[in-house]
Structures are given as structure tokens and as C-alpha cells.
Amino acid sequence: MRHTIVTLIGTALLALGLSACGGSSGGGSDKATLKGAGSSLVEPMVQAWIPEVRDRSGIDMTYSPIGSGGGIQAITTRTVDFGASDAPLSPDQAKACKGCLLIPWALSATTLSYNLPGAGGDLRLTGPVIADIFLGKITKWSDPRITKLNPGKQLPSQGIGSIYRSDGSGDTYAFTSYLTEVSPEWKEKIGTGTSVNFPTGAGSKGNSGVAGTITRTPGALGYISVAYAVQNKLDVASIQNAAGKFVPPGLPGIEAAAEAMGKPLPDNSIPIVDPPASATDAYPISTFTYAIVPKDAPKASELKEMFEYAFGPGQAFAERFVFAKLPAQVVALGKKTIASIGS
């Protein structure tokens, strides 16, 4: 199947779904094509890497932003050479993937974007309020709990149209992980996952679908990766962190969240949603995103070259796409994991 996507940070339309099995290209290179799929959060940066990897190493690479759930499934069935997910593998997924490695390779955030004509920017929201909106308990923008957070704003009595991802998504995982931390009712009734049963609202596929739905729908509120929100010029909410500070989803807040991270878990996952109050400037829905590769990958040499670029010169693209540069200890963890591919 041919997947055509619009790259949102200035790259051209790309034809996706090329075979990952071919050996040499028409130019006589003996480098194999690498095919990846998954997270739409990381897609803008991966698309920027593709021509650089080709020019530096002769490796052709394609990437399809089918969502984190799709990326996990694709690498599990080995229909791609690498998957990408903003959510770590569950124990069952790790078992099914049969020796897959999780590599943290980018750092960004999921944000709450809204379409509220006349309200202006810098809307303030708290975790419990967001949870109650997506639980269907707060239904209008003029609800006293929202107006109290936003003194001086004229918020309409318009209904809130909550928008969620209809596909398996790492943004959903980050968003629901956060709500699970800040709302006991959400934790009990809905929980955390790449796909959950939202009790209200409308679903859209991919970050591009959520962005388009928000743009077309006055009164909409949806979660979306910060890069897509910026590219589509959507208003984004400042969210109250554990220290009580309202923080917008920008690089300083993402970096502050990463600085507060604990030790990576045994599977290399690094949860950083809802950092402690000591992280006074942290944005509370920041997230690492991961590449997933088989340890016994048949294209180990090409994968290592691609990852060496991603962890090295590729990080120069980070700020352009609202990704924070990886902390030194995460780079070291990634390089150690990369070295084990094929060994």
C-alpha cells in the first residue's frame, strides 16, 4: 500500500511504502533501504534526517507515521526494519517482539491545543480540569473551574469538543499517563494506554488528523504533539505542573522535565510525565520517544549508521522541530544499546 503524507516542517511530499528488502540502488550503492514506521510525534525530525542519512552514507530510508501502536505491530511482524513509539513496550508486546531493543532517540511533548475564537492565547488548564473535560464532566468553556483559572478572559458558553486519537498512539499514552497521575477518577475508570476508551469526544487519526479537526472545529480541545501544534499555528494551553506553575509546551519546560528524570528502567524506558514539584519549570506532559529494533536485525550495519547519525549530527535539527536535545546520559544509553544490535 502506498502511503502519502504531508511532512509538516518544510519537506516535500514523499512516497512511502518502498520495499525494505532491496539491496543496491540504481546508483550502484550496496547499501540497503531502511524502512521505518510508527510515532507521528517524531516524524518531522525523522523526515529531516532522511536526506542527510542518504547523503552521508548512501542509505535510502523511508518512514511512515502510522502511530505508535502501528509501529510496534510493524516491527513485531518484521514488516519494517525499525519501529518508533512514544510508549514503551508492554510486557506482552516485548515478548511478542522477540528480542527487540528500545532506544530513546528524541525528546518532546504532547500539548493541549484548542480552537476558541475570541479567547486569545495562553489559556490555562490544570490536570484535574483536563481529566474532567475528557471524562465529560466539564462540557462548556464557561465552566467556573475554567474561568477561575483564566481571570480576565471572556470565555464563551460554547460547548467543548474534545478530540482524541483514534489510532494507537504514543501521544495517547503520554496524555493518559499524565491524567492517570493527576486524576484518581481517570486512573480508576480509564487508565493508561496507547489506545483507551474515551467516554466522550471524537476521534481523529494521527497528529495531522487531530490538527485538522481542531482547526475546523470552533470550541475544540485536543491533545497533539507540540511540533504539529506549532506548524499548524494552533493555540496551546499552559498546564499547571506539580509546583503549581503554569508552563507552556516549549523547549525550556521540556528540558526541565528531562532534568528531573530518574534512572532509566530496565527496558530503557524513561517516564518523565508529571515531574515532582522540585522541577519548578517543567512542562508536565513531556515525553521521550523510542526507536524499536530487533537485536538480531539483518540490517544491523545500516541501522547502526542511521542511529549514529540520529544521536550525533541529527540532534542539530531538534530545536527547529521543538525537540529538546537529548541529555548526555540518554545519548550514552542510546549508543550503548545501538552497539549491541547484531551482536
Side-chain angles (χ1 to χ4, degrees), residues 24-199:
S24 62
S25 67
S29 170
D30 59 358
K31 298 287 188 179
T33 295
L34 290 178
K35 184 178 179 182
S39 162
S40 58
L41 183 152
V42 79
E43 184 257 347
M45 193 139 86
V46 175
Q47 293 294 353
W49 291 341
I50 287 174
E52 297 290 323
V53 170
R54 182 176 59 244
D55 291 345
R56 288 168 179 263
S57 64
I59 298 170
D60 285 320
M61 187 166 79
T62 66
Y63 184 78
S64 181
I66 59 175
S68 294
I72 292 170
Q73 179 62 25
I75 191 60
T76 298
T77 58
R78 303 300 195 263
T79 55
V80 295
D81 302 302
F82 67 94
S85 174
D86 314 321
L89 298 173
S90 70
D92 286 345
Q93 288 170 335
K95 182 178 180 181
C97 209
K98 296 179 180 178
C100 284
L101 302 171
L102 197 69
I103 305 172
W105 68 339
L107 171 60
S108 193
T110 298
T111 185
L112 272 293
S113 296
Y114 58 94
N115 180 352
L116 200 56
D122 197 31
L123 187 75
R124 292 182 167 191
L125 294 172
T126 66
V129 165
I130 296 167
D132 281 353
I133 289 171
F134 280 82
L135 285 168
K137 298 175 69 176
I138 295 177
T139 60
K140 293 185 179 297
W141 285 106
S142 57
D143 186 282
R145 292 178 63 188
I146 301 178
T147 58
K148 185 178 180 180
L149 296 172
N150 295 276
K153 281 190 178 294
Q154 299 298 315
L155 298 178
S157 60
Q158 184 171 17
I160 302 173
S162 57
I163 311 298
Y164 58 84
R165 286 283 291 272
S166 59
D167 53 327
S169 160
D171 282 297
T172 300
Y173 182 86
F175 181 62
T176 57
S177 294
Y178 171 67
L179 295 187
T180 294
E181 292 292 327
V182 298
S183 169
E185 184 175 0
W186 185 275
K187 181 178 182 178
E188 178 186 352
K189 293 182 177 180
I190 310 298
T192 299
T194 56
S195 182
V196 301
N197 292 320
F198 286 92

Side-chain angles (χ1 to χ4, degrees), residues 199-279:
T200 188
S204 289
K205 187 175 181 179
N207 270 309
S208 57
V210 172
T213 302
I214 292 172
T215 300
R216 297 189 301 269
T217 311
L221 174 74
Y223 60 91
I224 186 173
S225 77
V226 65
Y228 278 75
V230 169
Q231 174 62 20
N232 287 274
K233 298 181 172 60
L234 297 174
D235 288 319
V236 295
S238 293
I239 300 175
Q240 189 179 52
N241 63 19
K245 185 174 181 179
F246 289 92
V247 182
L251 289 175
I254 298 169
E255 290 167 353
E259 288 171 3
M261 71 183 183
K263 292 180 65 175
L265 299 177
D267 66 350
N268 283 358
S269 63
I270 310 171
I272 56 172
V273 297
D274 193 34
S278 57

